[in-house]
Amino acid sequence: MTAPRAPCIILVRPQLGENIGMAARAMANFGLQDLRIVAPRDGWPNAKAVDAAVGASALVERASVFETVAGAVADLNRVAATTARQRGQAKPVLSPVDAMADWAGRAAAGQAVGVLFGPERTGLANEEVALADAIVSFPVDPAHSSLNLAQAVSLMAYEWRKTALGGAAPFAIDHETPPASREALLAFFAYLEDELATAGYFVPSIKRPIMARNLNNILRRADLTEQDVRTLRGMVAALVRGRGRVSAREAEPE
Amino acid sequence: MTAPRAPCIILVRPQLGENIGMAARAMANFGLQDLRIVAPRDGWPNAKAVDAAVGASALVERASVFETVAGAVADLNRVAATTARQRGQAKPVLSPVDAMADWAGRAAAGQAVGVLFGPERTGLANEEVALADAIVSFPVDPAHSSLNLAQAVSLMAYEWRKTALGGAAPFAIDHETPPASREALLAFFAYLEDELATAGYFVPSIKRPIMARNLNNILRRADLTEQDVRTLRGMVAALVRGRGRVSAREAEPE
């Protein structure tokens, strides 16, 4: 059996090259290889990142750099966001151990998993957290909840390796088609939002972002497969195209 | 019951003030308080250590400083040495998880436990390892076995807190309203199915039961709250009532 595909680490708008390098070193310590960086503050390449990586400089040098989080997660089947704070988003909240239990099975089934880490000072923006399927939170003391970025990466990589070495029997997920790629999911959400805007759903318009995010969070929780996304798209298209027919509830204003 | 006494962290001949401070910050993240430092290279106090500790500077300021490892461990009941390399010493070698299983019982019985971490460049000397009762080794990739000092402290502190908390996530999913009653859920499904039938979604009609069941299963997986059901109902109503407006995808047959 080939080794399960390890999660990729996605650093979103990282500020310090040293932290990027130390995160890469931690990844190498625990057998992770795929480093992705979104909009690094100080540009790319970054000599400080290479220096701080010590023996893992090659991992920094072959990191993929993206302009947006959406681009960085496009090919993944499952995305988690790390955050220490409650974000008012209706997503599952997992400990690192819980996350690994889920990911081990997915990885064994050939699915690609990634973890988002936010900038040092602020953490992930709410709209970045919204792109994830689940939140991973470390069991920190609430009075000292600010984790160093590279240490957070280290903890996640360590848990991954423990799981990967533990030989826990990977379980098969009973889905007939694989989880939707994030790209397919985002395209569906964009389509749905367009149609709802056209239909006059977003009232008042200033609430459109939060209303759209609420809908996205509801639908993400369903752990949609490629087929599910096609089904939902067909449902929306049918409702839109049913124009000129009579609504089942025409007489009952909503 | 009082909380079990957390392990103390003993940094032996640390070189960089930044690492001392980042180790202290990691201790505070996971509820450890007792920092001991043996013969710091750059003397004591160390302003860089205080700066790097961020919110945990008080922990640095009240650290105990010793001249020898023997002095630092004098009052402890159990001492472990962290090392990535085989030391040719006939001591038990534990993973961090194994170590916690041992220490949790000792701590609950009032025993004092401490962990030695060696200098950045060389690790602990053999005669320092000899002062420990056990060796703790992290499950690193042998090709990249050099852990950053503060990250090693972070991993150990994290494992301690997981053990102390029993693995609970620090906060739960943010559901503002309770799960939908099954009655509300079934009423919504019936409404959706009516509207889809009106819109001509169920083609061929013989497949209506299986198509409706698929949709219900997708939406059930989202673990809908009362509010979610209202949100989805509003979404469907908007799509139905948007009739006469222009579809965002009017030109693209589905």
Side-chain angles (χ1 to χ4, degrees), chain A residues 29 88 139 141 144 146 158-159 161-162 195 198 221-222 228 246-247, chain B residues 25 29 139 141 144 146 158-159 161-162 174 195 198 221-222 228 246-247:
Chain A
N29 287 147
D141 181 343
H144 293 277
S146 168
Y158 162 78
E159 282 290 6
R161 189 166 175 88
K162 276 203 306 182
E195 290 293 5
T198 301
R221 285 207 312 272
D228 292 338
V246 178
S247 165
Chain B
R25 177 179 172 186
N29 287 147
D141 181 342
H144 292 276
S146 167
Y158 161 77
E159 281 290 6
R161 188 166 176 89
K162 274 204 307 183
D174 185 22
E195 289 293 4
T198 302
R221 285 207 310 274
D228 293 338
V246 178
S247 166

PDB file of all heavy atoms in Angstrom, chain A residues 29 88 139 141 144 146 158-159 161-162 195 198 221-222 228 246-247, chain B residues 25 29 139 141 144 146 158-159 161-162 174 195 198 221-222 228 246-247:
ATOM      1  N   ASN A  29       9.991  17.858   9.681  1.00  0.00           N
ATOM      2  CA  ASN A  29      10.167  17.014  10.860  1.00  0.00           C
ATOM      3  C   ASN A  29       9.153  15.867  10.873  1.00  0.00           C
ATOM      4  O   ASN A  29       9.467  14.753  11.292  1.00  0.00           O
ATOM      5  CB  ASN A  29       9.958  17.822  12.158  1.00  0.00           C
ATOM      6  CG  ASN A  29      11.075  18.795  12.509  1.00  0.00           C
ATOM      7  OD1 ASN A  29      10.823  19.851  13.079  1.00  0.00           O
ATOM      8  ND2 ASN A  29      12.320  18.456  12.172  1.00  0.00           N
ATOM      9  N   GLY A  88     -18.586  32.400  14.992  1.00  0.00           N
ATOM     10  CA  GLY A  88     -19.976  32.618  14.619  1.00  0.00           C
ATOM     11  C   GLY A  88     -20.335  31.954  13.310  1.00  0.00           C
ATOM     12  O   GLY A  88     -21.209  32.407  12.595  1.00  0.00           O
ATOM     13  N   PRO A 139      -6.351  22.917  21.816  1.00  0.00           N
ATOM     14  CA  PRO A 139      -6.909  23.001  23.174  1.00  0.00           C
ATOM     15  C   PRO A 139      -6.120  23.969  24.058  1.00  0.00           C
ATOM     16  O   PRO A 139      -5.573  23.600  25.082  1.00  0.00           O
ATOM     17  CB  PRO A 139      -6.792  21.550  23.676  1.00  0.00           C
ATOM     18  CG  PRO A 139      -5.586  21.011  22.966  1.00  0.00           C
ATOM     19  CD  PRO A 139      -5.616  21.659  21.591  1.00  0.00           C
ATOM     20  N   ASP A 141      -5.185  27.244  26.536  1.00  0.00           N
ATOM     21  CA  ASP A 141      -5.702  27.982  27.685  1.00  0.00           C
ATOM     22  C   ASP A 141      -6.367  29.248  27.141  1.00  0.00           C
ATOM     23  O   ASP A 141      -5.707  30.037  26.459  1.00  0.00           O
ATOM     24  CB  ASP A 141      -4.522  28.342  28.593  1.00  0.00           C
ATOM     25  CG  ASP A 141      -4.964  29.104  29.841  1.00  0.00           C
ATOM     26  OD1 ASP A 141      -6.095  29.631  29.864  1.00  0.00           O
ATOM     27  OD2 ASP A 141      -4.162  29.176  30.776  1.00  0.00           O
ATOM     28  N   HIS A 144      -4.472  32.416  27.219  1.00  0.00           N
ATOM     29  CA  HIS A 144      -3.272  32.546  26.379  1.00  0.00           C
ATOM     30  C   HIS A 144      -3.511  31.777  25.083  1.00  0.00           C
ATOM     31  O   HIS A 144      -2.893  30.749  24.845  1.00  0.00           O
ATOM     32  CB  HIS A 144      -2.036  31.991  27.098  1.00  0.00           C
ATOM     33  CG  HIS A 144      -1.624  32.784  28.283  1.00  0.00           C
ATOM     34  ND1 HIS A 144      -0.845  33.907  28.197  1.00  0.00           N
ATOM     35  CD2 HIS A 144      -1.921  32.643  29.592  1.00  0.00           C
ATOM     36  CE1 HIS A 144      -0.650  34.417  29.402  1.00  0.00           C
ATOM     37  NE2 HIS A 144      -1.293  33.673  30.277  1.00  0.00           N
ATOM     38  N   SER A 146      -3.133  32.735  21.890  1.00  0.00           N
ATOM     39  CA  SER A 146      -2.407  33.103  20.679  1.00  0.00           C
ATOM     40  C   SER A 146      -1.198  32.197  20.466  1.00  0.00           C
ATOM     41  O   SER A 146      -0.173  32.327  21.123  1.00  0.00           O
ATOM     42  CB  SER A 146      -1.955  34.562  20.780  1.00  0.00           C
ATOM     43  OG  SER A 146      -1.027  34.848  19.754  1.00  0.00           O
ATOM     44  N   TYR A 158       2.658  17.131  13.583  1.00  0.00           N
ATOM     45  CA  TYR A 158       2.945  16.085  14.578  1.00  0.00           C
ATOM     46  C   TYR A 158       1.751  15.134  14.727  1.00  0.00           C
ATOM     47  O   TYR A 158       1.908  13.904  14.710  1.00  0.00           O
ATOM     48  CB  TYR A 158       3.289  16.768  15.899  1.00  0.00           C
ATOM     49  CG  TYR A 158       3.197  15.922  17.142  1.00  0.00           C
ATOM     50  CD1 TYR A 158       4.192  15.005  17.467  1.00  0.00           C
ATOM     51  CD2 TYR A 158       2.122  16.067  18.020  1.00  0.00           C
ATOM     52  CE1 TYR A 158       4.117  14.255  18.637  1.00  0.00           C
ATOM     53  CE2 TYR A 158       2.037  15.327  19.182  1.00  0.00           C
ATOM     54  CZ  TYR A 158       3.027  14.417  19.489  1.00  0.00           C
ATOM     55  OH  TYR A 158       2.949  13.675  20.639  1.00  0.00           O
ATOM     56  N   GLU A 159       0.561  15.704  14.829  1.00  0.00           N
ATOM     57  CA  GLU A 159      -0.626  14.851  14.960  1.00  0.00           C
ATOM     58  C   GLU A 159      -0.813  13.992  13.702  1.00  0.00           C
ATOM     59  O   GLU A 159      -1.222  12.844  13.785  1.00  0.00           O
ATOM     60  CB  GLU A 159      -1.889  15.680  15.206  1.00  0.00           C
ATOM     61  CG  GLU A 159      -2.049  16.171  16.635  1.00  0.00           C
ATOM     62  CD  GLU A 159      -2.364  15.055  17.635  1.00  0.00           C
ATOM     63  OE1 GLU A 159      -2.359  13.867  17.277  1.00  0.00           O
ATOM     64  OE2 GLU A 159      -2.582  15.395  18.812  1.00  0.00           O
ATOM     65  N   ARG A 161       1.537  12.880  11.714  1.00  0.00           N
ATOM     66  CA  ARG A 161       2.507  11.794  11.685  1.00  0.00           C
ATOM     67  C   ARG A 161       2.163  10.713  12.704  1.00  0.00           C
ATOM     68  O   ARG A 161       2.327   9.522  12.426  1.00  0.00           O
ATOM     69  CB  ARG A 161       3.922  12.312  11.925  1.00  0.00           C
ATOM     70  CG  ARG A 161       4.960  11.229  11.689  1.00  0.00           C
ATOM     71  CD  ARG A 161       6.367  11.787  11.586  1.00  0.00           C
ATOM     72  NE  ARG A 161       7.356  10.746  11.484  1.00  0.00           N
ATOM     73  CZ  ARG A 161       7.755  10.190  10.353  1.00  0.00           C
ATOM     74  NH1 ARG A 161       7.244  10.603   9.216  1.00  0.00           N
ATOM     75  NH2 ARG A 161       8.656   9.227  10.342  1.00  0.00           N
ATOM     76  N   LYS A 162       1.691  11.136  13.871  1.00  0.00           N
ATOM     77  CA  LYS A 162       1.271  10.129  14.849  1.00  0.00           C
ATOM     78  C   LYS A 162       0.197   9.229  14.247  1.00  0.00           C
ATOM     79  O   LYS A 162       0.225   8.008  14.402  1.00  0.00           O
ATOM     80  CB  LYS A 162       0.696  10.804  16.105  1.00  0.00           C
ATOM     81  CG  LYS A 162       1.734  11.215  17.108  1.00  0.00           C
ATOM     82  CD  LYS A 162       1.145  11.338  18.504  1.00  0.00           C
ATOM     83  CE  LYS A 162      -0.055  12.261  18.528  1.00  0.00           C
ATOM     84  NZ  LYS A 162      -0.603  12.430  19.891  1.00  0.00           N
ATOM     85  N   GLU A 195     -28.116  33.622  -8.846  1.00  0.00           N
ATOM     86  CA  GLU A 195     -29.544  33.418  -9.077  1.00  0.00           C
ATOM     87  C   GLU A 195     -30.374  34.051  -7.970  1.00  0.00           C
ATOM     88  O   GLU A 195     -31.443  34.615  -8.212  1.00  0.00           O
ATOM     89  CB  GLU A 195     -29.860  31.925  -9.189  1.00  0.00           C
ATOM     90  CG  GLU A 195     -29.337  31.268 -10.463  1.00  0.00           C
ATOM     91  CD  GLU A 195     -30.035  31.779 -11.739  1.00  0.00           C
ATOM     92  OE1 GLU A 195     -30.862  32.704 -11.666  1.00  0.00           O
ATOM     93  OE2 GLU A 195     -29.720  31.233 -12.819  1.00  0.00           O
ATOM     94  N   THR A 198     -30.492  37.742  -8.535  1.00  0.00           N
ATOM     95  CA  THR A 198     -31.430  38.037  -9.618  1.00  0.00           C
ATOM     96  C   THR A 198     -32.873  37.937  -9.126  1.00  0.00           C
ATOM     97  O   THR A 198     -33.746  38.715  -9.513  1.00  0.00           O
ATOM     98  CB  THR A 198     -31.211  37.046 -10.780  1.00  0.00           C
ATOM     99  OG1 THR A 198     -29.857  37.173 -11.220  1.00  0.00           O
ATOM    100  CG2 THR A 198     -32.150  37.325 -11.934  1.00  0.00           C
ATOM    101  N   ARG A 221     -21.918  21.934   5.308  1.00  0.00           N
ATOM    102  CA  ARG A 221     -22.043  20.921   6.355  1.00  0.00           C
ATOM    103  C   ARG A 221     -22.541  19.597   5.802  1.00  0.00           C
ATOM    104  O   ARG A 221     -22.384  18.554   6.434  1.00  0.00           O
ATOM    105  CB  ARG A 221     -22.967  21.415   7.470  1.00  0.00           C
ATOM    106  CG  ARG A 221     -22.324  22.458   8.366  1.00  0.00           C
ATOM    107  CD  ARG A 221     -22.939  22.455   9.765  1.00  0.00           C
ATOM    108  NE  ARG A 221     -24.378  22.463   9.740  1.00  0.00           N
ATOM    109  CZ  ARG A 221     -25.115  23.568   9.688  1.00  0.00           C
ATOM    110  NH1 ARG A 221     -24.547  24.754   9.643  1.00  0.00           N
ATOM    111  NH2 ARG A 221     -26.423  23.485   9.666  1.00  0.00           N
ATOM    112  N   ALA A 222     -23.152  19.640   4.628  1.00  0.00           N
ATOM    113  CA  ALA A 222     -23.678  18.412   4.037  1.00  0.00           C
ATOM    114  C   ALA A 222     -22.583  17.563   3.400  1.00  0.00           C
ATOM    115  O   ALA A 222     -22.856  16.479   2.907  1.00  0.00           O
ATOM    116  CB  ALA A 222     -24.747  18.746   3.007  1.00  0.00           C
ATOM    117  N   ASP A 228     -23.665  15.339  -5.649  1.00  0.00           N
ATOM    118  CA  ASP A 228     -24.580  16.198  -4.870  1.00  0.00           C
ATOM    119  C   ASP A 228     -24.604  17.616  -5.435  1.00  0.00           C
ATOM    120  O   ASP A 228     -25.662  18.254  -5.504  1.00  0.00           O
ATOM    121  CB  ASP A 228     -24.114  16.277  -3.399  1.00  0.00           C
ATOM    122  CG  ASP A 228     -24.254  14.961  -2.667  1.00  0.00           C
ATOM    123  OD1 ASP A 228     -25.065  14.119  -3.096  1.00  0.00           O
ATOM    124  OD2 ASP A 228     -23.548  14.783  -1.656  1.00  0.00           O
ATOM    125  N   VAL A 246     -47.126  27.653 -12.276  1.00  0.00           N
ATOM    126  CA  VAL A 246     -47.732  28.176 -11.053  1.00  0.00           C
ATOM    127  C   VAL A 246     -46.989  27.627  -9.839  1.00  0.00           C
ATOM    128  O   VAL A 246     -46.734  26.438  -9.754  1.00  0.00           O
ATOM    129  CB  VAL A 246     -49.224  27.775 -10.979  1.00  0.00           C
ATOM    130  CG1 VAL A 246     -49.835  28.285  -9.692  1.00  0.00           C
ATOM    131  CG2 VAL A 246     -49.960  28.305 -12.197  1.00  0.00           C
ATOM    132  N   SER A 247     -46.647  28.470  -8.909  1.00  0.00           N
ATOM    133  CA  SER A 247     -45.998  28.013  -7.681  1.00  0.00           C
ATOM    134  C   SER A 247     -46.979  27.221  -6.833  1.00  0.00           C
ATOM    135  O   SER A 247     -48.170  27.536  -6.776  1.00  0.00           O
ATOM    136  CB  SER A 247     -45.501  29.209  -6.875  1.00  0.00           C
ATOM    137  OG  SER A 247     -45.199  28.797  -5.566  1.00  0.00           O
TER     138      SER A 247
ATOM    139  N   ARG B  25       5.950  31.166  25.848  1.00  0.00           N
ATOM    140  CA  ARG B  25       4.640  31.437  25.246  1.00  0.00           C
ATOM    141  C   ARG B  25       3.874  30.136  24.998  1.00  0.00           C
ATOM    142  O   ARG B  25       2.670  30.040  25.272  1.00  0.00           O
ATOM    143  CB  ARG B  25       4.848  32.188  23.929  1.00  0.00           C
ATOM    144  CG  ARG B  25       3.573  32.475  23.169  1.00  0.00           C
ATOM    145  CD  ARG B  25       3.882  33.229  21.890  1.00  0.00           C
ATOM    146  NE  ARG B  25       2.720  33.363  21.024  1.00  0.00           N
ATOM    147  CZ  ARG B  25       2.767  33.875  19.799  1.00  0.00           C
ATOM    148  NH1 ARG B  25       3.910  34.308  19.291  1.00  0.00           N
ATOM    149  NH2 ARG B  25       1.668  33.959  19.077  1.00  0.00           N
ATOM    150  N   ASN B  29       0.292  28.844  26.430  1.00  0.00           N
ATOM    151  CA  ASN B  29      -0.782  28.382  25.547  1.00  0.00           C
ATOM    152  C   ASN B  29      -1.471  27.149  26.121  1.00  0.00           C
ATOM    153  O   ASN B  29      -2.682  26.992  26.003  1.00  0.00           O
ATOM    154  CB  ASN B  29      -0.248  28.011  24.158  1.00  0.00           C
ATOM    155  CG  ASN B  29       0.162  29.179  23.288  1.00  0.00           C
ATOM    156  OD1 ASN B  29       1.088  29.061  22.495  1.00  0.00           O
ATOM    157  ND2 ASN B  29      -0.503  30.333  23.413  1.00  0.00           N
ATOM    158  N   PRO B 139       8.091  11.581  17.338  1.00  0.00           N
ATOM    159  CA  PRO B 139       8.052  10.690  16.166  1.00  0.00           C
ATOM    160  C   PRO B 139       8.445  11.405  14.874  1.00  0.00           C
ATOM    161  O   PRO B 139       7.673  11.477  13.927  1.00  0.00           O
ATOM    162  CB  PRO B 139       6.586  10.241  16.131  1.00  0.00           C
ATOM    163  CG  PRO B 139       5.838  11.417  16.690  1.00  0.00           C
ATOM    164  CD  PRO B 139       6.741  11.993  17.758  1.00  0.00           C
ATOM    165  N   ASP B 141      10.528  12.373  11.330  1.00  0.00           N
ATOM    166  CA  ASP B 141      11.133  11.745  10.162  1.00  0.00           C
ATOM    167  C   ASP B 141      12.644  11.667  10.408  1.00  0.00           C
ATOM    168  O   ASP B 141      13.282  12.698  10.644  1.00  0.00           O
ATOM    169  CB  ASP B 141      10.829  12.633   8.948  1.00  0.00           C
ATOM    170  CG  ASP B 141      11.390  12.063   7.658  1.00  0.00           C
ATOM    171  OD1 ASP B 141      12.276  11.186   7.707  1.00  0.00           O
ATOM    172  OD2 ASP B 141      10.956  12.517   6.592  1.00  0.00           O
ATOM    173  N   HIS B 144      14.810  14.251   8.923  1.00  0.00           N
ATOM    174  CA  HIS B 144      14.666  15.651   9.376  1.00  0.00           C
ATOM    175  C   HIS B 144      14.353  15.628  10.874  1.00  0.00           C
ATOM    176  O   HIS B 144      13.253  15.980  11.289  1.00  0.00           O
ATOM    177  CB  HIS B 144      13.556  16.377   8.621  1.00  0.00           C
ATOM    178  CG  HIS B 144      13.862  16.607   7.174  1.00  0.00           C
ATOM    179  ND1 HIS B 144      14.595  17.682   6.734  1.00  0.00           N
ATOM    180  CD2 HIS B 144      13.563  15.880   6.082  1.00  0.00           C
ATOM    181  CE1 HIS B 144      14.724  17.621   5.416  1.00  0.00           C
ATOM    182  NE2 HIS B 144      14.103  16.534   4.989  1.00  0.00           N
ATOM    183  N   SER B 146      15.792  17.241  13.434  1.00  0.00           N
ATOM    184  CA  SER B 146      16.145  18.370  14.290  1.00  0.00           C
ATOM    185  C   SER B 146      14.953  19.281  14.519  1.00  0.00           C
ATOM    186  O   SER B 146      14.555  20.053  13.652  1.00  0.00           O
ATOM    187  CB  SER B 146      17.291  19.159  13.643  1.00  0.00           C
ATOM    188  OG  SER B 146      17.445  20.400  14.305  1.00  0.00           O
ATOM    189  N   TYR B 158       1.435  20.729  24.705  1.00  0.00           N
ATOM    190  CA  TYR B 158       0.162  20.384  24.048  1.00  0.00           C
ATOM    191  C   TYR B 158      -0.307  18.992  24.472  1.00  0.00           C
ATOM    192  O   TYR B 158      -1.478  18.785  24.817  1.00  0.00           O
ATOM    193  CB  TYR B 158       0.370  20.471  22.536  1.00  0.00           C
ATOM    194  CG  TYR B 158      -0.639  19.759  21.664  1.00  0.00           C
ATOM    195  CD1 TYR B 158      -1.893  20.300  21.432  1.00  0.00           C
ATOM    196  CD2 TYR B 158      -0.302  18.551  21.045  1.00  0.00           C
ATOM    197  CE1 TYR B 158      -2.807  19.650  20.604  1.00  0.00           C
ATOM    198  CE2 TYR B 158      -1.205  17.903  20.224  1.00  0.00           C
ATOM    199  CZ  TYR B 158      -2.455  18.449  20.010  1.00  0.00           C
ATOM    200  OH  TYR B 158      -3.353  17.791  19.197  1.00  0.00           O
ATOM    201  N   GLU B 159       0.621  18.035  24.468  1.00  0.00           N
ATOM    202  CA  GLU B 159       0.226  16.679  24.880  1.00  0.00           C
ATOM    203  C   GLU B 159      -0.220  16.667  26.341  1.00  0.00           C
ATOM    204  O   GLU B 159      -1.148  15.951  26.709  1.00  0.00           O
ATOM    205  CB  GLU B 159       1.380  15.686  24.687  1.00  0.00           C
ATOM    206  CG  GLU B 159       1.571  15.221  23.248  1.00  0.00           C
ATOM    207  CD  GLU B 159       0.455  14.303  22.751  1.00  0.00           C
ATOM    208  OE1 GLU B 159      -0.543  14.086  23.443  1.00  0.00           O
ATOM    209  OE2 GLU B 159       0.590  13.819  21.607  1.00  0.00           O
ATOM    210  N   ARG B 161      -1.669  19.137  27.980  1.00  0.00           N
ATOM    211  CA  ARG B 161      -2.997  19.728  28.110  1.00  0.00           C
ATOM    212  C   ARG B 161      -4.079  18.802  27.551  1.00  0.00           C
ATOM    213  O   ARG B 161      -5.172  18.712  28.103  1.00  0.00           O
ATOM    214  CB  ARG B 161      -3.061  21.084  27.434  1.00  0.00           C
ATOM    215  CG  ARG B 161      -4.370  21.797  27.723  1.00  0.00           C
ATOM    216  CD  ARG B 161      -4.322  23.259  27.358  1.00  0.00           C
ATOM    217  NE  ARG B 161      -5.613  23.893  27.545  1.00  0.00           N
ATOM    218  CZ  ARG B 161      -6.020  24.460  28.670  1.00  0.00           C
ATOM    219  NH1 ARG B 161      -5.221  24.492  29.716  1.00  0.00           N
ATOM    220  NH2 ARG B 161      -7.213  25.010  28.761  1.00  0.00           N
ATOM    221  N   LYS B 162      -3.758  18.111  26.442  1.00  0.00           N
ATOM    222  CA  LYS B 162      -4.734  17.154  25.917  1.00  0.00           C
ATOM    223  C   LYS B 162      -5.071  16.121  26.981  1.00  0.00           C
ATOM    224  O   LYS B 162      -6.232  15.757  27.177  1.00  0.00           O
ATOM    225  CB  LYS B 162      -4.158  16.423  24.695  1.00  0.00           C
ATOM    226  CG  LYS B 162      -4.365  17.145  23.400  1.00  0.00           C
ATOM    227  CD  LYS B 162      -4.325  16.175  22.216  1.00  0.00           C
ATOM    228  CE  LYS B 162      -3.076  15.334  22.210  1.00  0.00           C
ATOM    229  NZ  LYS B 162      -3.008  14.464  21.031  1.00  0.00           N
ATOM    230  N   ASP B 174     -20.992  26.512  16.488  1.00  0.00           N
ATOM    231  CA  ASP B 174     -21.787  27.670  16.857  1.00  0.00           C
ATOM    232  C   ASP B 174     -23.173  27.585  16.237  1.00  0.00           C
ATOM    233  O   ASP B 174     -23.443  28.162  15.191  1.00  0.00           O
ATOM    234  CB  ASP B 174     -21.069  28.938  16.386  1.00  0.00           C
ATOM    235  CG  ASP B 174     -21.796  30.196  16.845  1.00  0.00           C
ATOM    236  OD1 ASP B 174     -22.559  30.104  17.826  1.00  0.00           O
ATOM    237  OD2 ASP B 174     -21.606  31.243  16.228  1.00  0.00           O
ATOM    238  N   GLU B 195     -42.655  22.382  -4.867  1.00  0.00           N
ATOM    239  CA  GLU B 195     -42.187  23.437  -5.778  1.00  0.00           C
ATOM    240  C   GLU B 195     -41.393  22.838  -6.935  1.00  0.00           C
ATOM    241  O   GLU B 195     -41.489  23.312  -8.070  1.00  0.00           O
ATOM    242  CB  GLU B 195     -41.326  24.464  -5.027  1.00  0.00           C
ATOM    243  CG  GLU B 195     -42.111  25.355  -4.082  1.00  0.00           C
ATOM    244  CD  GLU B 195     -43.069  26.311  -4.811  1.00  0.00           C
ATOM    245  OE1 GLU B 195     -43.199  26.244  -6.054  1.00  0.00           O
ATOM    246  OE2 GLU B 195     -43.706  27.126  -4.130  1.00  0.00           O
ATOM    247  N   THR B 198     -43.815  21.361  -9.396  1.00  0.00           N
ATOM    248  CA  THR B 198     -44.426  22.447 -10.171  1.00  0.00           C
ATOM    249  C   THR B 198     -43.474  22.967 -11.248  1.00  0.00           C
ATOM    250  O   THR B 198     -43.865  23.307 -12.361  1.00  0.00           O
ATOM    251  CB  THR B 198     -44.809  23.605  -9.239  1.00  0.00           C
ATOM    252  OG1 THR B 198     -45.704  23.099  -8.251  1.00  0.00           O
ATOM    253  CG2 THR B 198     -45.481  24.739 -10.008  1.00  0.00           C
ATOM    254  N   ARG B 221     -27.916  15.727   5.846  1.00  0.00           N
ATOM    255  CA  ARG B 221     -26.524  15.647   6.308  1.00  0.00           C
ATOM    256  C   ARG B 221     -26.032  16.974   6.864  1.00  0.00           C
ATOM    257  O   ARG B 221     -25.038  17.012   7.590  1.00  0.00           O
ATOM    258  CB  ARG B 221     -25.607  15.202   5.159  1.00  0.00           C
ATOM    259  CG  ARG B 221     -25.720  13.740   4.825  1.00  0.00           C
ATOM    260  CD  ARG B 221     -24.419  13.200   4.222  1.00  0.00           C
ATOM    261  NE  ARG B 221     -23.925  14.009   3.139  1.00  0.00           N
ATOM    262  CZ  ARG B 221     -24.306  13.873   1.860  1.00  0.00           C
ATOM    263  NH1 ARG B 221     -25.213  12.962   1.531  1.00  0.00           N
ATOM    264  NH2 ARG B 221     -23.787  14.637   0.936  1.00  0.00           N
ATOM    265  N   ALA B 222     -26.707  18.070   6.515  1.00  0.00           N
ATOM    266  CA  ALA B 222     -26.267  19.382   6.991  1.00  0.00           C
ATOM    267  C   ALA B 222     -26.697  19.642   8.438  1.00  0.00           C
ATOM    268  O   ALA B 222     -26.377  20.692   8.990  1.00  0.00           O
ATOM    269  CB  ALA B 222     -26.801  20.477   6.083  1.00  0.00           C
ATOM    270  N   ASP B 228     -31.844  27.381  10.057  1.00  0.00           N
ATOM    271  CA  ASP B 228     -31.395  26.918   8.736  1.00  0.00           C
ATOM    272  C   ASP B 228     -32.589  26.560   7.854  1.00  0.00           C
ATOM    273  O   ASP B 228     -32.601  26.838   6.649  1.00  0.00           O
ATOM    274  CB  ASP B 228     -30.507  25.666   8.874  1.00  0.00           C
ATOM    275  CG  ASP B 228     -29.179  25.953   9.552  1.00  0.00           C
ATOM    276  OD1 ASP B 228     -28.743  27.126   9.544  1.00  0.00           O
ATOM    277  OD2 ASP B 228     -28.590  24.999  10.092  1.00  0.00           O
ATOM    278  N   VAL B 246     -34.866  38.165 -14.863  1.00  0.00           N
ATOM    279  CA  VAL B 246     -33.976  37.446 -15.769  1.00  0.00           C
ATOM    280  C   VAL B 246     -33.055  36.532 -14.970  1.00  0.00           C
ATOM    281  O   VAL B 246     -32.452  36.961 -14.004  1.00  0.00           O
ATOM    282  CB  VAL B 246     -33.133  38.438 -16.595  1.00  0.00           C
ATOM    283  CG1 VAL B 246     -32.172  37.688 -17.502  1.00  0.00           C
ATOM    284  CG2 VAL B 246     -34.051  39.332 -17.397  1.00  0.00           C
ATOM    285  N   SER B 247     -32.936  35.289 -15.383  1.00  0.00           N
ATOM    286  CA  SER B 247     -32.008  34.379 -14.718  1.00  0.00           C
ATOM    287  C   SER B 247     -30.572  34.797 -15.000  1.00  0.00           C
ATOM    288  O   SER B 247     -30.238  35.246 -16.093  1.00  0.00           O
ATOM    289  CB  SER B 247     -32.209  32.956 -15.224  1.00  0.00           C
ATOM    290  OG  SER B 247     -31.106  32.157 -14.833  1.00  0.00           O
TER     291      SER B 247
END
